[in-house]
């Protein structure tokens, strides 16, 4: 059903929300799973939304954290150089264009370098405010990234709406005290505040009082 949300600022995840990078994620993480004798499907189930080291800690809980960080760096190098199949989520170009003069930030588990590479590969403009992996001490589902995004924009958490696709990201947005618009099929199972299949179903307009009105089809 169509719905309307009102906010002061929007906080946007990248992978799966603005950029479809599933092809790269599948290639890199299935190869990693094979190295460690893990089921590729099980790995893909938990990788979305998290920083790599956090995914590894879930899957290999007895492994030293130093090895997770080392593997994370290696996989990041692969992801930065692999942009084949990276495309915008349907509606993302127009959606970001509509936010150009409105308060919004990118909040991603990717590093700044990877965020710039993937947004560039998808031909999407980078928001002026970006909270990347380097900004936080804890990966989603911890709310730290979203709370920092709100603070950078100068708004209270309750005044922000998050756009997310993953279980970890939706949990992080809720833990931050924010409403969440779930984007795509992955999000549907995790009870976001509102749900869309693509960003083509979202229209944002600025009200006279400076608030943002989200029309969700």
């Amino acid at each position: 059903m169509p719905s309307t949300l009102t906010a002061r600022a929007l906080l946007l995840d990248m992978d799966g929300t603005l950029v479809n990078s599933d092809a790269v994620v599948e290639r890199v993480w299935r190869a990693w799973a094979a190295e460690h004798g893990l089921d590729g499907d099980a790995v893909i189930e938990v990788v979305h939304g998290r920083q790599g080291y956090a995914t590894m800690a879930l899957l290999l809980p007895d492994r030293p954290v130093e090895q997770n960080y080392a593997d994370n760096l290696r996989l990041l190098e692969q992801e930065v150089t692999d942009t084949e199949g990276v495309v915008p989520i349907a509606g993302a170009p127009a959606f970001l264009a509509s936010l150009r003069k409105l308060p919004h930030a990118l909040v991603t588990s990717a590093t700044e370098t990877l965020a710039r590479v993937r947004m560039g590969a998808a031909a999407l403009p980078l928001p002026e405010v970006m909270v990347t992996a380097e900004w936080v001490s804890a990966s989603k589902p911890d709310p730290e990234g979203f709370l920092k995004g709100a603070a950078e924009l100068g708004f209270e958490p309750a005044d922000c709406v998050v756009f997310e696709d993953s279980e970890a990201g939706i949990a992080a947005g809720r833990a931050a005290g924010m409403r969440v618009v779930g984007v795509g099929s992955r999000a549907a199972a995790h009870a976001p505040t509102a749900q869309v299949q693509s960003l083509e179903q979202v229209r944002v307009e600025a009200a006279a009082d400076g608030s943002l009105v989200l029309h969700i089809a």
Side-chain angles (χ1 to χ4, degrees), residues 74-201:
R74 179 169 60 87
L75 266 59
L76 278 170
E77 289 173 359
Q78 295 173 24
E79 291 184 277
V80 165
T81 58
D82 186 354
T83 57
E84 185 179 349
V86 175
V87 295
I89 293 292
F95 176 70
L96 284 172
S98 75
L99 300 184
R100 191 168 61 87
K101 296 184 178 180
L102 304 178
H104 69 289
L106 190 73
V107 181
T108 175
S109 293
T111 61
E112 181 177 345
T113 298
L114 184 57
R116 290 183 180 278
V117 165
R118 285 195 175 155
M119 292 289 280
L124 295 174
L126 281 167
E128 289 185 16
V129 176
M130 296 195 303
V131 177
T132 59
E134 297 92 340
W135 280 56
V136 298
S137 60
S139 172
K140 299 173 185 176
D142 191 282
E144 182 183 4
F146 287 124
L147 293 172
K148 285 193 171 179
E152 283 294 307
L153 293 172
F155 294 100
E156 294 297 320
D159 291 328
C160 298
V161 168
V162 165
F163 281 72
E164 265 286 0
D165 72 299
S166 69
E167 179 181 9
I170 291 169
R174 283 202 299 257
M178 302 172 183
R179 291 155 294 158
V180 182
V181 176
V183 180
S185 56
R186 273 197 296 266
H190 305 297
T193 310
Q195 166 72 24
V196 296
Q197 194 56 37
S198 80
L199 293 171
E200 294 172 312
Q201 295 172 252

Side-chain angles (χ1 to χ4, degrees), residues 27-43:
R27 283 193 292 271
V28 170
W29 281 93
R30 286 189 183 278
W32 181 86
E35 288 176 20
H36 296 279
L38 299 172
D39 178 71
D41 290 341
V43 171

